[in-house]
Amino acid sequence: MSRPGPPPGGSFPARPAPPAGSSFPARPAPPAGGSFPARPGPPVGARPGPPPDLGDDETRHPAVDAAVRAIANAATLAPADQIAQYEAAYETLRETLATIDQT
């Protein structure tokens, strides 16, 4: 398989210039002192709650339900602790799916 070469004549057409008389707005400079204001967090109540009850207990898996609850509860933790909760839930889900695939 070969890659396509340059167009015949060996050069590419020139890119069009911006329209005459147009100007682009300048980007704002960073604030004096070099520090930016703190970024606001999400509004209170913006995080979703636990999933609704889906009913049929025969189709549910307790390990999956526990992992989903752990993910929902992680929203109240500090960011460093959230990561640990998410990793633990991921590992639980991965192991659970692996055992389900084997049956």
Side-chain angles (χ1 to χ4, degrees):
M1 179 187 255
S2 65
R3 296 176 69 187
S11 64
F12 293 97
R15 288 178 48 176
S22 69
S23 64
F24 295 100
R27 290 177 61 180
S35 64
F36 293 94
R39 209 164 97 178
V44 176
R47 295 181 186 227
D53 184 23
L54 300 177
D56 189 11
D57 287 338
E58 287 184 29
T59 59
R60 299 182 66 116
H61 196 285
V64 172
D65 290 340
V68 170
R69 278 193 303 277
I71 290 171
N73 292 338
T76 62
L77 301 175
D81 297 329
Q82 287 179 359
I83 293 170
Q85 283 287 336
Y86 295 146
E87 289 175 346
Y90 167 79
E91 194 60 32
T92 299
L93 293 172
R94 191 181 67 72
E95 291 171 2
T96 303
L97 288 174
T99 60
I100 290 171
D101 286 344
Q102 293 173 359
T103 58

